[in-house]
Amino acid sequence: MHSPVILAIESSCDDTSAAVMAGGEILANVVATQQVHEQYGGVVPELASRAHQQHLIPVVQEALRRAKVDKSALDAVAFTQGPGLLGSLLVGSMFAKTFAQALDKPLIAVNHMRAHILAHFIRAPRPAFPFLCLTVSGGHTQLVIVRSPMDMQVIGQTIDDAAGEAFDKTAKLLGLPYPGGPHLDKQAKLGNPTRFSFPVGAMPGYDFSFSGLKTSVLYFLRQQTAQNPDFVAENLADLCASIQHTIIQTLLRQLVRAAEDNGLTQIALAGGVAANSGLRAALTALTAEKGWEVFIPDFEFCTDNAGMVAMTAHFQYENGDFASPLVSPDPRLKLT
Ligand code: KG4
Ligand code: ZN
């Protein structure tokens, strides 16, 4: 059996990453996270593209070095085609196309959302098909029925903000540094999740809405700080715990409905927000109660990384799914 050696590039947002996989086994996964955005409280697309240009070649060299693989041994070069920021995607795709052409190797174009889901196959335990995946990141919130690596159906998604944005935007209102998700998580551990109540975005079907939460937190804080300027500082942990609780309830309510309606008992969590300790604990408790099985990848493979792109490219290689050298990045690339 042929064991393809694949170099994968991820550059859809603000992490520059390269990974090497051989026969489905991960040999290296190098990520350079861009610090430049912190001072702006959000990702600045122009700065992201420039930082990708600076980081990409060293990151690729480091991945090949750690994997102890010479570029001549590669069987394919994979890259994230979308969705993501156009300028960022262009840097990764231009590099991958040029590199593949120079080596005379095939090119594989990967969907970033598919890659977040297939991150579950990098290491055991792996979910069995079909399973339900909740992908929650800074840019996306999706419920997907996964029937095979290439057969995925998006059954629900956010109509406004992503779950990660809900964490980051509310954290910003509380004065926490960017990205706020991990800071809010840390504070929430010390607080009371039912002290304050915020609206759970009620959507028909399996969709999500988080913009109402942000607005209600904003008005609530304005009202409270008008009476007590130290309100946030005095109640930070309870505010974080209550906001986190609301986001988790919003996510889990739709997840349960989707799993029950579709008879799915294998539940997977993907994307950067899968790092949230409250979400992990709540999902683990919920699935134990229902007798379902839950799968959460290692943190390294939850946030943006090229390892998941390499895993996806491995499946595509097996299916003979190669890209034309003329392929373009697509910032709005759809999963189904
Ligand atoms: O998947 P990811 O690395 O990048 C995107 O594709 O968006 O996800 C980043 C998002 C950010 O919004 C970040 O605040 C959030 O994941 N995040 C968290 C935690 N760790 C990362 N949100 C809540 N709790 C965390 N522990
Ligand atoms: Zn992502």
Side-chain angles (χ1 to χ4, degrees), residues 10-17 31-34 52 303-305:
E10 157 64 32
S11 71
S12 64
C13 190
D14 60 343
D15 293 300
T16 315
S17 181
V31 183
T33 302
Q34 303 178 359
H52 282 306
T303 56
D304 286 350
N305 69 90

Side-chain angles (χ1 to χ4, degrees), residues 10 12-13 112-113 116 137-140 271-272 302-305 308:
E10 157 64 32
S12 64
C13 190
H112 181 81
M113 301 313 292
H116 268 301
S137 74
H140 300 274
C302 279
T303 56
D304 286 350
N305 69 90
M308 66 187 195

